[in-house]
C-alpha cells in the first residue's frame, strides 16, 4: 500500500493535503491504518481548519461528525459537528460524500478527490483526502477528512 499512498501524495495539488497524506502514511507504520491515538493535533496545526473527524457506524452505515474544520464550515456554510452526515447536506451532495466515504471504509484504502461542484447556488472547487483510522488497531471505525478549498 505504500506505493499507492505515495501516488496519492504526489497527485495532491495542495501542499496541506500532501503533508496530511504523508503524515497518515508515517503514522500507519505498515499497519492497515493508523490509530486515532497516533495523531496529536499539535503536529497538524497547519491543517486544523481543513480537518474533520468522523465516527463510522454500521447497521446502518452512518457517519457521525465529531469535529468539522472551520474552513470546511466556511466553504459549505454548515457546521456538521455533532451531527450525522445525512443531517447536514442536501441529498445530492450527501450521496456524493456517502459514496466516497463508504468506498474508503470498505476498501481500507485512502482516497483523494479534486472536485468542482454546484453547491448552494454557487460553484465550489476543493481537494479532499479521505483517510481511514482505527481506534483499536483491528477495525476501521473512523475517517479523517482533509478538505482544502480552492479559493478563487
Amino acid at each position: 500500500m505504500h506505493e499507492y499512498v505515495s501516488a496519492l501524495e504526489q497527485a495532491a495539488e495542495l501542499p496541506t493535503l500532501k503533508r496530511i497524506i504523508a503524515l497518515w502514511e508515517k503514522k500507519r507504520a505498515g499497519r492497515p491504518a493508523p490509530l486515532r491515538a497516533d495523531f496529536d493535533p499539535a503536529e497538524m496545526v497547519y491543517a486544523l481548519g481543513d480537518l474533520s473527524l468522523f465516527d463510522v457506524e454500521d447497521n446502518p452505515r452512518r457517519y457521525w461528525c465529531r469535529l468539522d474544520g472551520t474552513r470546511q464550515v466556511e466553504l459549505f456554510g454548515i457546521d456538521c459537528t455533532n451531527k450525522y452526515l445525512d443531517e447536514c447536506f442536501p441529498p445530492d451532495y450527501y450521496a456524493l460524500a456517502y459514496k466516497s466515504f463508504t468506498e474508503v471504509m470498505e476498501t481500507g484504502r485512502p482516497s483523494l478527490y479534486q472536485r468542482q461542484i454546484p453547491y448552494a447556488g454557487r460553484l465550489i472547487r476543493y481537494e479532499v483526502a479521505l483517510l481511514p483510522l482505527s481506534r483499536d488497531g483491528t477495525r476501521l471505525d473512523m475517517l479523517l477528512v482533509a478538505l482544502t478549498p480552492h479559493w478563487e
Side-chain angles (χ1 to χ4, degrees):
M1 176 147 47
H2 177 72
E3 293 80 19
Y4 173 80
V5 176
S6 293
L8 283 184
E9 184 183 346
Q10 292 300 315
E13 291 178 12
L14 300 171
T16 299
L17 291 185
K18 288 180 181 292
R19 289 177 69 184
I20 287 293
I21 293 166
L23 180 64
W24 182 90
E25 177 63 5
K26 177 182 171 189
K27 299 291 186 178
R28 187 174 73 84
R31 300 172 292 184
L35 299 176
R36 162 60 186 96
D38 291 335
F39 290 89
D40 179 353
E43 293 177 288
M44 304 179 292
V45 171
Y46 61 91
L48 290 180
D50 296 317
L51 301 177
S52 293
L53 187 61
F54 287 85
D55 289 337
V56 180
E57 298 179 2
D58 290 319
N59 300 316
R61 172 67 53 93
R62 288 183 88 188
Y63 299 95
W64 174 259
C65 185
R66 287 176 162 248
L67 174 70
D68 204 2
T70 56
R71 282 189 284 276
Q72 294 182 36
V73 171
E74 186 178 333
L75 179 67
F76 291 105
I78 185 164
D79 185 350
C80 293
T81 302
N82 295 323
K83 295 178 185 153
Y84 284 102
L85 187 66
D86 57 67
E87 297 171 335
C88 294
F89 294 109
D92 56 342
Y93 186 77
Y94 166 72
L96 178 67
Y98 182 87
K99 181 180 181 214
S100 302
F101 284 24
T102 300
E103 179 182 303
V104 168
M105 297 312 296
E106 287 179 356
T107 65
R109 295 171 67 122
S111 289
L112 176 74
Y113 300 96
Q114 290 147 349
R115 293 192 166 136
Q116 182 170 310
I117 62 166
Y119 184 84
R122 67 197 201 295
L123 194 61
I124 60 173
R125 185 170 170 243
Y126 62 90
E127 188 170 37
V128 60
L130 305 177
L131 307 164
L133 302 174
S134 176
R135 283 187 190 93
D136 64 7
T138 59
R139 185 174 163 283
L140 299 179
D141 56 6
M142 296 186 84
L143 187 64
L144 179 64
V145 176
L147 188 148
T148 303
H150 285 268
W151 299 113
E152 297 166 320

